[in-house]
Amino acid sequence: MRIFITIFLFFFFQQFIVAESPCTKCDIEKVKIASEHLDSLSIQIIRDFLCTFDSTCAINAEYSGWSNETLFAVMQKAPTLFFQIIQEGNVNSKQLINEIESPVNDLIDLQKTYDELKAGIAETEIKSMYLEAVIFAGKKSNLKIFR
């Protein structure tokens, strides 16, 4: 009987023990996970990745470059999931917009990013903000983004 109670208590309290940990800003490990799973992105992978963005990450060159490239890849591969996380409101949207407006790599296909985001399902206001950020990035690079 004692073993039964112990097992029951273990499984009952396990949900509290394995509670979701708070997001660590500039977490390169979350970038790595998202980058490695671009063809099998889940809500949790994207959520964990997007929550790492913060203005304080600018001093971390490895994080800044890799996270920026991965952000564009995530938007291209899973735009609806991306918007779903944005709509939850638990990410730094201002920082994400700044990242989109300043791609670190000239090889990022801004037109593809725009097209994929446009095809994604999201609230019109949120979708427009992110589409405008891609258009702005194009203008900074002297690229015309076709709507």
Side-chain angles (χ1 to χ4, degrees):
M1 182 67 169
R2 187 180 229 179
I3 293 173
F4 175 74
I5 292 173
T6 304
I7 292 171
F8 173 77
L9 290 174
F10 171 77
F11 285 111
F12 179 76
F13 288 108
Q14 184 179 17
Q15 64 185 339
F16 302 109
I17 296 169
V18 186
E20 193 173 320
S21 61
C23 177
T24 302
K25 301 302 179 191
C26 318
D27 188 347
I28 196 82
E29 189 61 30
K30 300 299 184 189
V31 178
K32 179 182 177 195
I33 292 168
S35 181
E36 290 174 346
H37 291 90
L38 289 173
D39 290 326
S40 59
L41 289 166
S42 67
I43 281 279
Q44 194 60 50
I45 289 171
I46 298 172
R47 183 180 292 121
D48 290 348
F49 167 64
L50 294 181
C51 81
T52 67
F53 284 86
D54 191 72
S55 59
T56 60
C57 301
I59 60 172
N60 184 333
E62 182 183 14
Y63 172 86
S64 295
W66 196 9
S67 65
N68 186 279
E69 290 176 5
T70 303
L71 175 60
F72 281 91
V74 166
M75 291 187 296
Q76 290 175 5
K77 294 283 190 172
T80 299
L81 292 178
F82 171 80
F83 282 132
Q84 187 175 340
I85 303 305
I86 300 302
Q87 289 171 176
E88 289 176 359
N90 297 325
V91 296
N92 187 338
S93 280
K94 182 178 178 183
Q95 185 61 35
L96 291 173
I97 295 290
N98 288 340
E99 292 287 332
I100 295 165
E101 290 177 344
S102 302
V104 296
N105 187 333
D106 290 339
L107 299 176
I108 292 173
D109 188 340
L110 294 175
Q111 184 64 57
K112 180 178 180 178
T113 303
Y114 181 88
D115 293 342
E116 294 297 332
L117 286 178
K118 188 174 180 182
I121 298 169
E123 294 175 11
T124 305
E125 184 180 330
I126 291 172
K127 190 183 223 180
S128 294
M129 276 186 353
Y130 284 85
L131 290 173
E132 288 301 318
V134 175
I135 291 169
F136 184 79
K139 286 179 182 175
K140 284 174 62 175
S141 300
N142 293 321
L143 297 172
K144 172 115 172 101
I145 304 297
F146 296 98
R147 298 175 187 221

